[in-house]
Amino acid sequence: MHAMQYEITLPADYDMGIIRRRVETKGHLLDAFAGLGFKAYLMRERGRDGSPVNQYAPFYLWNTAAGMDSFLWGPGFQGLIDDFGRPVVQHWSVVAYEDSTPSAVAPRAAVRHRRRIPESTRLPELADQLTHEVETLVRVDGAVSAIAAVDPRTWEVVHFSLWEHEAPEGTGDVFQVLHLSTPERGKLATGRQW
């Protein structure tokens, strides 16, 4: 399982209604995309929920690498490049995933928290810790799903969670969820990923 996100930071005076309309008209295009567990269409607005920027930053959870590759090399991503330029695509290997409500609840908010993994960290123990953190987080009232993933190139861990209500304060970058495409959400394996 692979997690992926890109961020398009927009000018401070950018009309974020343009992003909302883009998602309203194009969000459904990935509702049946092969290999995609889910895509959360995320947006941050400068001055809201502590955000210093206006940003469009979709987050993907892929069931298959083939699905991710098909998207990145396909016309949908090229359309985004044509409109905004080619963004850096962040990519993480998923350590653990949990889902409290597989299809019943449409999330309203997402939280992303990233941190460096110290060089002295023992990786087997870290995997156990991250799995436990995901299991604990998904049991919090209002949590829809939780993910812990690692980029082994930079040794960064990302925690990502979806919430049915406004996200808890002080836990990371808070995003509004504009749409959630879930073609293979029911096929996502929960728990530790190996």
Side-chain angles (χ1 to χ4, degrees), residues 6 26-27 30-31 36-42 56 58-62 71 80 177 179-183:
Y6 48 84
K26 297 181 184 226
L30 293 185
D31 286 352
L36 178 61
F38 70 75
K39 175 182 179 179
Y41 294 77
L42 305 179
Y56 176 53
F59 187 94
Y60 302 75
L61 189 57
W62 294 98
F71 173 75
L80 178 116
V177 179
H179 179 70
L180 189 69
S181 290
T182 60

Coordinates of all heavy atoms in Angstrom, one line a residue, residues 6 26-27 30-31 36-42 56 58-62 71 80 177 179-183:
Y6 N 0.6 15.6 -3.2 CA 1.3 16.8 -3.7 C 0.6 18.0 -3.3 O -0.6 18.0 -2.9 CB 1.3 16.7 -5.3 CG 0.0 16.4 -6.0 CD1 -0.9 17.4 -6.2 CD2 -0.3 15.1 -6.3 CE1 -2.1 17.1 -6.9 CE2 -1.5 14.8 -7.0 CZ -2.4 15.8 -7.2 OH -3.6 15.6 -7.8
K26 N -14.7 17.9 -11.3 CA -13.8 16.8 -11.7 C -13.6 15.7 -10.6 O -13.0 14.7 -10.9 CB -12.4 17.4 -12.0 CG -12.5 18.3 -13.2 CD -11.1 18.9 -13.5 CE -11.2 19.9 -14.7 NZ -10.2 19.7 -15.7
G27 N -14.0 15.9 -9.4 CA -13.8 15.0 -8.3 C -14.3 13.6 -8.6 O -13.7 12.6 -8.3
L30 N -12.4 10.1 -10.5 CA -11.6 9.0 -9.9 C -12.5 8.1 -9.0 O -11.9 7.3 -8.3 CB -10.4 9.6 -9.1 CG -9.3 10.3 -9.9 CD1 -8.2 10.7 -9.0 CD2 -8.9 9.4 -11.0
D31 N -13.8 8.3 -9.0 CA -14.6 7.5 -8.2 C -14.6 6.0 -8.5 O -15.1 5.2 -7.7 CB -16.1 8.0 -8.2 CG -16.3 9.3 -7.4 OD1 -15.3 9.7 -6.7 OD2 -17.3 9.9 -7.5
L36 N -7.0 2.5 -6.7 CA -7.1 3.6 -5.8 C -8.0 3.2 -4.6 O -9.1 2.9 -4.8 CB -7.7 4.8 -6.5 CG -7.9 6.0 -5.6 CD1 -6.5 6.5 -5.0 CD2 -8.5 7.2 -6.4
G37 N -7.4 3.1 -3.4 CA -8.2 2.9 -2.2 C -9.0 4.1 -1.9 O -10.3 4.0 -1.9
F38 N -8.4 5.3 -1.8 CA -9.2 6.5 -1.7 C -8.3 7.7 -2.1 O -7.1 7.7 -2.0 CB -9.8 6.7 -0.4 CG -8.9 7.1 0.8 CD1 -8.3 8.3 0.9 CD2 -8.7 6.1 1.8 CE1 -7.5 8.6 2.0 CE2 -7.8 6.4 2.8 CZ -7.3 7.7 2.9
K39 N -9.0 8.7 -2.6 CA -8.4 10.0 -2.8 C -9.2 11.1 -2.0 O -10.4 11.2 -2.2 CB -8.4 10.5 -4.3 CG -7.8 11.9 -4.5 CD -7.9 12.3 -5.9 CE -7.4 13.7 -6.1 NZ -7.4 14.2 -7.5
A40 N -8.5 11.8 -1.1 CA -9.1 12.8 -0.4 C -8.7 14.2 -1.0 O -7.6 14.5 -1.1 CB -8.7 12.8 1.1
Y41 N -9.7 14.9 -1.6 CA -9.5 16.1 -2.2 C -9.4 17.2 -1.1 O -10.4 17.5 -0.5 CB -10.6 16.5 -3.1 CG -10.7 15.6 -4.3 CD1 -11.2 14.3 -4.2 CD2 -10.2 16.0 -5.6 CE1 -11.3 13.4 -5.3 CE2 -10.3 15.1 -6.7 CZ -10.8 13.9 -6.5 OH -10.9 13.0 -7.6
L42 N -8.2 17.6 -0.8 CA -8.0 18.5 0.4 C -7.6 19.9 0.0 O -7.0 20.1 -1.0 CB -6.8 17.9 1.2 CG -6.9 16.4 1.6 CD1 -5.7 16.0 2.4 CD2 -8.2 16.2 2.4
Y56 N -4.0 23.6 -2.4 CA -4.8 22.4 -2.8 C -3.8 21.3 -2.7 O -2.7 21.3 -3.2 CB -5.2 22.6 -4.3 CG -5.9 21.4 -4.9 CD1 -7.0 20.8 -4.3 CD2 -5.5 20.9 -6.1 CE1 -7.6 19.7 -4.8 CE2 -6.1 19.8 -6.7 CZ -7.2 19.2 -6.0 OH -7.8 18.1 -6.6
P58 N -4.3 17.2 -2.6 CA -4.9 15.9 -2.5 C -4.0 14.8 -1.9 O -2.8 14.8 -2.1 CB -5.2 15.6 -3.9 CG -5.1 16.8 -4.7 CD -4.2 17.7 -3.9
F59 N -4.6 13.9 -1.1 CA -3.9 12.8 -0.5 C -4.5 11.5 -1.0 O -5.7 11.3 -1.1 CB -4.1 12.8 1.0 CG -3.3 11.8 1.8 CD1 -2.0 12.2 2.2 CD2 -3.7 10.5 2.0 CE1 -1.2 11.2 2.9 CE2 -3.0 9.6 2.7 CZ -1.7 10.0 3.1
Y60 N -3.7 10.6 -1.5 CA -4.1 9.3 -2.1 C -3.6 8.2 -1.2 O -2.5 8.2 -0.7 CB -3.4 9.2 -3.5 CG -3.7 10.2 -4.5 CD1 -3.1 11.5 -4.4 CD2 -4.6 10.0 -5.5 CE1 -3.4 12.5 -5.3 CE2 -4.9 11.0 -6.5 CZ -4.3 12.2 -6.3 OH -4.5 13.2 -7.3
L61 N -4.4 7.1 -1.1 CA -4.0 5.9 -0.6 C -4.2 4.8 -1.6 O -5.4 4.6 -2.0 CB -4.8 5.5 0.7 CG -4.3 4.3 1.5 CD1 -2.8 4.5 1.9 CD2 -5.1 4.1 2.7
W62 N -3.1 4.3 -2.2 CA -3.2 3.3 -3.3 C -3.1 1.9 -2.8 O -2.3 1.5 -2.0 CB -2.0 3.6 -4.3 CG -2.1 4.9 -4.9 CD1 -1.5 6.1 -4.5 CD2 -2.9 5.3 -6.0 NE1 -1.8 7.1 -5.4 CE2 -2.7 6.6 -6.3 CE3 -3.8 4.6 -6.9 CZ2 -3.3 7.3 -7.4 CZ3 -4.4 5.2 -7.9 CH2 -4.1 6.6 -8.2
F71 N -2.2 6.5 -12.8 CA -2.6 7.9 -12.5 C -1.5 8.9 -12.9 O -1.8 9.9 -13.6 CB -3.0 8.1 -11.1 CG -3.4 9.5 -10.7 CD1 -4.5 10.1 -11.2 CD2 -2.4 10.3 -10.0 CE1 -4.8 11.4 -10.9 CE2 -2.7 11.6 -9.7 CZ -3.9 12.2 -10.2
L80 N -3.8 18.3 -14.4 CA -3.4 19.1 -13.3 C -2.1 19.9 -13.6 O -2.0 21.1 -13.3 CB -3.2 18.3 -12.0 CG -2.8 19.0 -10.8 CD1 -3.8 19.0 -9.7 CD2 -1.5 18.5 -10.3
V177 N -11.9 18.6 3.7 CA -12.1 17.5 2.7 C -13.2 18.0 1.8 O -14.4 18.1 2.3 CB -12.4 16.2 3.4 CG1 -12.7 15.1 2.3 CG2 -11.3 15.8 4.3
H179 N -14.0 16.4 -1.2 CA -14.6 15.2 -1.8 C -13.8 14.0 -1.4 O -12.6 14.2 -1.2 CB -14.7 15.4 -3.3 CG -15.3 14.2 -4.0 ND1 -16.6 13.8 -4.0 CD2 -14.7 13.2 -4.9 CE1 -16.9 12.7 -4.7 NE2 -15.7 12.4 -5.3
L180 N -14.3 12.8 -1.4 CA -13.6 11.6 -1.2 C -14.0 10.6 -2.2 O -15.1 10.1 -2.3 CB -13.9 11.1 0.2 CG -13.0 9.9 0.7 CD1 -11.6 10.4 1.0 CD2 -13.6 9.3 2.0
S181 N -13.0 10.2 -3.1 CA -13.2 9.2 -4.1 C -12.8 7.9 -3.4 O -11.7 7.8 -2.8 CB -12.4 9.4 -5.3 OG -12.9 10.5 -6.1
T182 N -13.6 6.8 -3.4 CA -13.3 5.6 -2.7 C -13.5 4.3 -3.5 O -14.2 3.4 -3.1 CB -14.2 5.5 -1.4 OG1 -15.6 5.5 -1.9 CG2 -14.0 6.7 -0.5
P183 N -12.9 4.2 -4.7 CA -13.2 3.1 -5.5 C -12.8 1.7 -4.9 O -13.5 0.8 -5.1 CB -12.4 3.3 -6.8 CG -11.4 4.4 -6.4 CD -12.0 5.2 -5.3

